[in-house]
Amino acid sequence: GAGGGMVLVPMLIHLGKLEDKEAFSSAISIILPLSLVSIFIYWTQHIFPFQQSVPYLLGGLIGGTLGGILFKNVSVGFLHKIFAFVILWGGIRLLV
């Protein structure tokens, strides 16, 4: 999810020479199929904790839908600030 985006988005911007919004959209289109493959593998190995995953799946579905709707109206500068906050928050959580 977000962890993959933290690496993938900067790579798409700098190495892929994509515009910011294109990089965010491309990252989502790359992460989604990988997530679905991961779920399939866990499911077939009978190690997918479906009961514990429901809140996260619903939150991801709602957040992804709202994000997709609002994404068109968000400035690139605001996206950079949100992305920086998510990276910093993730780093702080790893240290604590």
Side-chain angles (χ1 to χ4, degrees), residues 82-96:
I82 294 292
F83 192 59
F85 173 76
V86 170
I87 290 173
L88 288 172
W89 180 52
I92 291 168
R93 287 191 55 197
L94 286 173
L95 293 175
V96 174

Side-chain angles (χ1 to χ4, degrees), residues 60-78:
L61 178 65
I62 293 167
T65 302
L66 288 174
I69 292 168
L70 298 174
F71 187 69
K72 294 181 258 182
N73 302 323
V74 175
S75 72
V76 173
F78 186 70

Side-chain angles (χ1 to χ4, degrees), residues 9 12-13 18-29 62-83:
V9 171
L12 290 170
I13 291 171
L18 294 178
E19 294 294 323
D20 292 358
K21 283 193 174 189
E22 289 175 320
F24 281 98
S25 298
S26 297
I28 292 168
S29 68
I62 293 167
T65 302
L66 288 174
I69 292 168
L70 298 174
F71 187 69
K72 294 181 258 182
N73 302 323
V74 175
S75 72
V76 173
F78 186 70
L79 282 176
H80 278 279
K81 289 175 185 159
I82 294 292
F83 192 59

